[in-house]
Amino acid sequence: MTGNFRLDGVEISSDQELEFPTDEVLGVDHIEASDLAQLLMVFNGSRVHEQPQHDTGQDDSPPGVYFTYVNSEVVWPGHKNRIGVYRTGDENALFLAADEALEAVGAAGDPQRAVHVDHFYLHDDAPNLLGTVAFALSAIVAHRLGFSTISLIAGGGVGYNPRMFGYKFWPQLGFDADVEEIEVRGKAELRHCRSVQQIIAIDLEWWKVNGTQRWMEFDLRAESPSWGKLLEYLHGKGLI
């Protein structure tokens, strides 16, 4: 992810600095190609398309600016990875194109910048731990740019697509979500748990068997529990 890709038909190289039209979302009007690639988890050789999304998407993706890319070497065949940037307010995410920025900010009060991973599938033959490394780099760049959160739907689990395992993978990288009392009622040791992280700290295997799909977030603030969990995971995998 050194910043060599094709963006809407234009070849981009790692030594370029890009003028970014949606600076009200990114918080900058220029960004190095390598930073953009790592923020959006875009692998070298990808073909990338930028597109605004004005409404909430089919999988609850918030309104924002999304980047969809294909890459035959590392992306699961038939899939397109899609990562977006958006602003969060007290109630709803708001789409912010440059010409709508001031109006939207005024309506929301004080929204914050966030990243949303809408679709991310890697090929079976992709290098081991590639997804983990890609996310870690994305989180680092997002933190440096002042983003507050990375969000996603962690798929799979009881009652959902059995081929998906995000619900048990993403929490190990620091993502968290609320848990209802009824979800842990049958497990005495977990009855006081109200978050996924509280559950997996006690019984990760229980969550792997009984956990379910939901919206999860990674807290990008310095020294947050999310960073502690991510660093612990990276160290355990020998990556740091």
Side-chain angles (χ1 to χ4, degrees):
M1 294 184 291
T2 59
N4 295 288
F5 54 91
R6 190 174 182 86
L7 177 60
D8 287 326
V10 178
E11 292 291 342
I12 305 298
S13 59
S14 58
D15 59 351
Q16 285 185 250
E17 188 175 66
L18 306 177
E19 291 188 8
F20 207 77
T22 48
D23 60 285
E24 289 295 337
V25 175
L26 275 182
V28 294
D29 55 10
H30 291 77
I31 187 170
E32 293 182 6
S34 57
D35 280 346
L36 184 63
Q38 291 171 18
L39 176 70
L40 303 171
M41 296 189 280
V42 173
F43 303 104
N44 287 350
S46 298
R47 290 184 288 117
V48 186
H49 173 58
E50 176 191 352
Q51 186 175 28
Q53 177 180 301
H54 294 268
D55 301 306
T56 300
Q58 184 176 4
D59 294 325
D60 293 329
S61 57
V65 179
Y66 285 82
F67 296 79
T68 303
Y69 70 87
V70 294
N71 187 312
S72 60
E73 292 189 11
V74 292
V75 176
W76 189 274
H79 288 269
K80 298 179 180 180
N81 284 355
R82 187 173 187 262
I83 293 92
V85 290
Y86 69 101
R87 282 185 182 267
T88 60
D90 291 337
E91 297 181 358
N92 299 307
L94 292 173
F95 164 73
L96 286 184
D99 60 345
E100 299 178 22
L102 294 179
E103 178 182 355
V105 170
D110 185 24
Q112 295 180 304
R113 295 187 302 279
V115 175
H116 186 72
V117 182
D118 183 47
H119 200 82
F120 190 74
Y121 284 84
L122 295 182
H123 200 289
D124 275 344
D125 295 331
N128 188 36
L129 297 175
L130 179 62
T132 298
V133 172
F135 172 72
L137 291 173
S138 175
I140 291 169
V141 174
H143 173 74
R144 283 175 37 223
L145 290 175
F147 283 69
S148 64
T149 306
I150 300 178
S151 58
L152 49 76
I153 298 292
V158 178
Y160 293 92
N161 189 333
R163 293 180 296 176
M164 301 181 72
F165 55 87
Y167 78 98
K168 58 183 178 181
F169 171 73
W170 292 111
Q172 294 182 77
L173 269 61
F175 281 81
D176 203 3
D178 292 337
V179 171
E180 299 294 332
E181 180 181 359
I182 192 172
E183 296 182 81
V184 293
R185 185 172 295 170
K187 182 75 169 176
E189 306 95 295
L190 306 177
R191 64 184 182 277
H192 298 302
C193 294
R194 293 297 177 267
S195 74
V196 174
Q197 286 297 331
Q198 289 175 348
I199 290 175
I200 67 174
I202 297 172
D203 195 339
L204 173 60
E205 293 306 313
W206 185 92
W207 177 255
K208 288 181 178 180
V209 174
N210 298 280
T212 59
Q213 175 173 308
R214 69 197 60 215
W215 176 282
M216 293 188 181
E217 295 185 356
F218 184 99
D219 184 351
L220 289 166
R221 292 175 298 176
E223 300 185 26
S224 73
S226 292
W227 281 114
K229 190 72 178 180
L230 177 60
L231 293 173
E232 176 186 350
Y233 187 84
L234 296 175
H235 186 268
K237 294 296 183 181
L239 294 171
I240 58 173

